[in-house]
Amino acid sequence: IKETESVLLHIRRGDYCKNPSYADLSKTEYYKNAINYFNKTYENPTFFVFSDDIPWCREYFKDNKQLVFVEYKDQSTLSDLYLMHQCKNAIIANSSFSWWGAALDTKKVVVRPTQYNVNINTDELYPSEWIPIEG
């Protein structure tokens, strides 16, 4: 993570796929648009994928060779948060866990979704320097 132009890529699915209150970003182009943003901004970024549904991520991104899927023995949310914190840049999901993964360290660039919750304007949740990307 420290030896590359690392980009935290957090994808939350789980309960978001079943709860109509949250924007299910996995059904949009948000992640692909965010990856394209970093590919245009940096030379050879490496995306470290953290998710509660790595099998889905592997299938969704099966043609993208820039991704490293973070899975390891005794994986825990605390360990994931620590590794997320080590990344230089971030593509976050619409989740507080993702937000903290980006906020715990000064990232060069943080990309965030324009929609967090279907019914509420949540722009005030994000620092102004974080870049909104449409899905």
Side-chain angles (χ1 to χ4, degrees), residues 1 27 31 33-34 83 91-92 101 122 125 129 133:
I1 288 175
K27 293 181 180 175
Y31 292 111
N33 293 342
L83 292 172
I91 298 170
I92 66 169
T122 53
L125 296 176
E129 63 271 11
I133 297 281

Side-chain angles (χ1 to χ4, degrees), residues 33-74:
N33 293 342
I35 287 171
N36 286 337
Y37 173 85
F38 278 100
N39 281 328
K40 291 176 185 175
T41 306
Y42 293 102
E43 188 173 329
N44 298 320
T46 301
F47 301 91
F48 291 86
V49 180
F50 297 84
S51 179
D52 59 347
D53 194 350
I54 290 291
W56 179 89
C57 294
R58 286 186 186 281
E59 178 61 27
Y60 184 76
F61 294 111
K62 64 185 171 196
D63 297 327
N64 191 323
K65 305 299 182 214
Q66 298 172 279
L67 277 62
V68 175
F69 298 95
V70 181
E71 292 182 285
Y72 50 92
K73 187 178 178 184
D74 300 324

Side-chain angles (χ1 to χ4, degrees), residues 5-110:
E5 190 59 57
S6 55
V7 181
L8 146 68
L9 174 55
H10 182 246
I11 298 172
R12 179 170 176 179
R13 287 186 32 83
D15 57 330
Y16 278 31
C17 294
K18 299 173 189 137
N19 186 337
S21 297
Y22 290 99
D24 182 359
L25 298 176
S26 67
K27 293 181 180 175
T28 72
E29 295 294 310
Y30 167 70
Y31 292 111
K32 290 180 180 179
N33 293 342
I35 287 171
N36 286 337
Y37 173 85
F38 278 100
N39 281 328
K40 291 176 185 175
T41 306
Y42 293 102
E43 188 173 329
N44 298 320
T46 301
F47 301 91
F48 291 86
V49 180
F50 297 84
S51 179
D52 59 347
D53 194 350
I54 290 291
W56 179 89
C57 294
R58 286 186 186 281
E59 178 61 27
Y60 184 76
F61 294 111
K62 64 185 171 196
D63 297 327
N64 191 323
K65 305 299 182 214
Q66 298 172 279
L67 277 62
V68 175
F69 298 95
V70 181
E71 292 182 285
Y72 50 92
K73 187 178 178 184
D74 300 324
Q75 190 166 2
S76 71
T77 53
L78 185 58
S79 297
D80 278 358
L81 194 58
Y82 173 77
L83 292 172
M84 291 165 72
H85 151 77
Q86 298 298 310
C87 292
K88 296 174 185 164
N89 305 288
I91 298 170
I92 66 169
N94 52 334
S95 81
S96 58
F97 184 73
S98 196
W99 190 99
W100 281 109
L104 284 174
D105 189 35
T106 305
K107 304 281 186 241
K108 290 181 187 174
V109 175
V110 176

